[in-house]
Amino acid sequence: MRYLFCLFLLLSTAAFARNDSTLTLVFMGDIMGHDAQIEGARISNADRYDFKSCFQYIRDDIESADIAIANLEVTLAGAPYRGYPSFSSPDTLVDALQYAGIDAVVMANNHCLDRRRKGLIRTCDILDEKGMPRTGVFKNADDRNKHNPLIIASKGFRLAILNYTYGTNGIPVQSPNIVNQLDTALMARDIAKARSKGVDEIVMCLHWGLEYQTKANGTQRDLAHWLQNKGVRIIIGSHPHVLQPMEMTKDHQPTLVAYSMGNFISNQRPAPRDGAALLFVTLSKEMGLTRVKNASYQLTWVYRDEKGEKMAYYVLPAQRYKDADWLQNSACERLNAFIDEAHGILKHNKGVHERCFQQPTEPLKGLTIVSRKLRVPVELKVPN
């Protein structure tokens, strides 16, 4: 009898351990591909490109989370490779994003139709071939049904990722292509569809707001309020190319809004467009109830290192490298100025604070690919 009681106690404890768990998400700013970035990734003078070194100093931070999601604001339309105003980056950019630990991308933004119908289709195909989960932009209705919402399962959590844009720079969507637009009727239907999949949380990624404005406007706030009333508790914004404040309520069921994450990587240099933030969000599940437990940010900054006639680009954890003695003096000054600017913007945050940081342990050097950290597998679920 005592043996049976002990066995019951062990099984009960194991059951509670399985039911009480946490999941960490990380979101980042816009991934851009300007001309100088493309040229900087070129291998010698060949038509081969490697972007992995851009992320070698930030990948450990990204991989510290269970799931990483980014806004891909370029097409993969093939050559000729160009930046603004009609972006098309080499396919190997996706390899670099996977190297950096990014698990999925959202695609609905104002540049997703830069290379029109063929560019949209090829971008979707390349992401699928390389195993990069995606949502927001679709080849046709069947493709949308398959990838909208994007369902991600990890560590006992099921998340639905939804993605919409305010527009496509005036370029019309050609049938049968579909780009998710900011339309509350459409969004309400998609939210209902996501809930029918039995998800724990819905993550809403929105391309909205005004470029280069460091404060959210009334339209952003109104839409965020509408989504919160629909039960959406995580809202991540992009498009302004600068940071905007982040807000987390302290309710029984907290909600989180990050109005703009800034430029994760780009060639934009006017302050404060040369930096961004990683936003870490921890979800908890206790006795089957999921909630947004906490959120914190980590500043990132794009360092441009001159290599002869071209630039090399590195995304740096800003606080960790602000006093690095190997940075060029002008770069060090600008990095510290960005930190001050970002703090000036994010001092208006509510409930979202800066993460602790560590000093750098190594100077800038050539890319050395090390084995990836062991991560909990992320299972991508295709909706029925």
Side-chain angles (χ1 to χ4, degrees):
M1 190 67 159
R2 183 175 179 180
Y3 169 79
L4 291 177
F5 174 78
C6 292
L7 179 61
F8 172 79
L9 184 62
L10 286 171
L11 291 174
S12 300
T13 303
F16 278 110
R18 286 194 301 270
N19 289 332
D20 297 353
S21 57
T22 60
L23 181 77
T24 305
L25 315 176
V26 64
F27 303 92
M28 60 214 71
D30 305 326
I31 295 171
M32 310 294 294
H34 292 98
D35 289 334
Q37 292 171 253
I38 295 171
E39 186 58 31
R42 185 191 293 272
I43 300 173
S44 300
N45 292 320
D47 288 329
R48 295 184 297 117
Y49 303 84
D50 189 343
F51 295 89
K52 291 189 180 73
S53 61
C54 300
F55 307 111
Q56 62 178 318
Y57 294 99
I58 198 69
R59 70 191 296 253
D60 283 349
D61 300 273
I62 294 172
E63 289 199 324
S64 69
D66 298 306
I67 299 172
I69 299 172
N71 171 45
L72 181 64
E73 199 157 353
V74 298
T75 70
L76 306 170
Y81 303 122
R82 293 285 185 272
Y84 182 84
S86 296
F87 290 94
S88 180
S89 290
D91 301 347
T92 51
L93 174 61
V94 183
D95 302 327
L97 299 183
Q98 291 172 322
Y99 160 80
I102 294 171
D103 297 299
V105 295
V106 294
M107 303 167 62
N109 55 65
N110 58 306
H111 287 289
C112 65
L113 286 177
D114 278 1
R115 297 296 178 92
R116 278 53 176 189
R117 181 184 177 193
K118 289 183 178 180
L120 182 152
I121 292 173
R122 190 179 187 280
T123 303
C124 292
D125 287 342
I126 294 300
L127 291 170
D128 292 347
E129 288 173 12
K130 291 181 176 290
M132 175 64 83
R134 59 178 173 87
T135 193
V137 171
F138 316 99
K139 294 183 287 186
N140 50 45
D142 288 342
D143 191 48
R144 186 178 192 273
N145 187 57
K146 181 179 179 180
H147 296 279
N148 184 79
L150 173 64
I151 305 295
I152 298 179
S154 179
K155 295 176 66 176
F157 291 78
R158 280 173 58 84
L159 309 179
I161 315 299
L162 291 169
N163 174 220
Y164 306 84
T165 179
Y166 74 92
T168 54
N169 287 345
I171 303 171
V173 181
Q174 299 180 32
S175 180
N177 298 164
I178 300 172
V179 175
N180 279 353
Q181 306 278 340
L182 290 175
D183 177 323
T184 53
L186 171 67
M187 296 163 76
R189 291 195 297 271
D190 288 346
I191 290 169
K193 178 182 177 182
R195 288 222 170 83
S196 72
K197 304 296 181 183
V199 299
D200 296 297
E201 290 290 348
I202 297 172
V203 177
M204 189 69 66
C205 298
L206 304 179
H207 209 67
W208 62 355
L210 299 176
E211 287 187 321
Y212 318 132
Q213 301 300 305
T214 57
K215 293 182 179 179
N217 60 28
T219 301
Q220 289 169 276
R221 292 189 175 278
D222 288 347
L223 183 53
H225 184 68
W226 181 86
L227 288 167
Q228 289 167 339
N229 285 339
K230 288 289 184 183
V232 176
R233 295 193 288 243
I234 302 174
I235 303 169
I236 307 297
S238 60
H239 177 60
H241 300 298
V242 293
L243 285 168
Q244 291 182 347
M246 310 165 183
E247 301 172 355
M248 180 170 165
T249 66
K250 296 182 179 180
D251 306 331
H252 173 66
Q253 280 291 357
T255 60
L256 171 68
V257 183
Y259 286 102
S260 175
M261 299 300 299
N263 280 329
F264 181 59
I265 188 163
S266 79
N267 189 46
Q268 291 192 337
R269 303 314 289 177
R273 303 180 209 171
D274 50 348
L278 299 179
L279 177 60
F280 292 86
V281 182
T282 301
L283 303 180
S284 66
K285 182 180 286 191
E286 300 176 1
M287 301 300 294
L289 179 63
T290 302
R291 67 192 296 269
V292 182
K293 186 175 182 180
N294 57 57
S296 61
Y297 73 85
Q298 176 181 328
L299 297 177
T300 63
W301 184 70
V302 181
Y303 173 51
R304 294 196 313 181
D305 188 27
E306 292 190 27
K307 299 291 186 183
E309 297 181 353
K310 63 181 183 180
M311 298 282 187
Y313 291 78
Y314 304 94
V315 181
L316 300 182
Q319 290 279 21
R320 194 177 304 150
Y321 285 90
K322 66 178 183 178
D323 298 318
D325 56 12
W326 47 263
L327 277 177
Q328 301 166 2
N329 288 337
S330 59
C332 192
E333 291 174 2
R334 176 58 211 144
L335 168 54
N336 281 272
F338 167 74
I339 293 173
D340 291 341
E341 292 157 4
H343 285 162
I345 296 167
L346 301 182
K347 69 181 180 182
H348 301 290
N349 281 8
K350 297 178 181 178
V352 183
H353 305 288
E354 190 167 13
R355 290 182 106 202
C356 297
F357 64 92
Q358 298 177 341
Q359 292 299 325
T361 58
E362 59 179 346
L364 193 71
K365 61 184 180 181
L367 173 66
T368 301
I369 299 179
V370 297
S371 59
R372 294 174 65 87
K373 290 182 177 180
L374 181 63
R375 293 174 57 129
V376 174
V378 175
E379 181 182 358
L380 280 304
K381 296 285 190 179
V382 177
N384 294 325

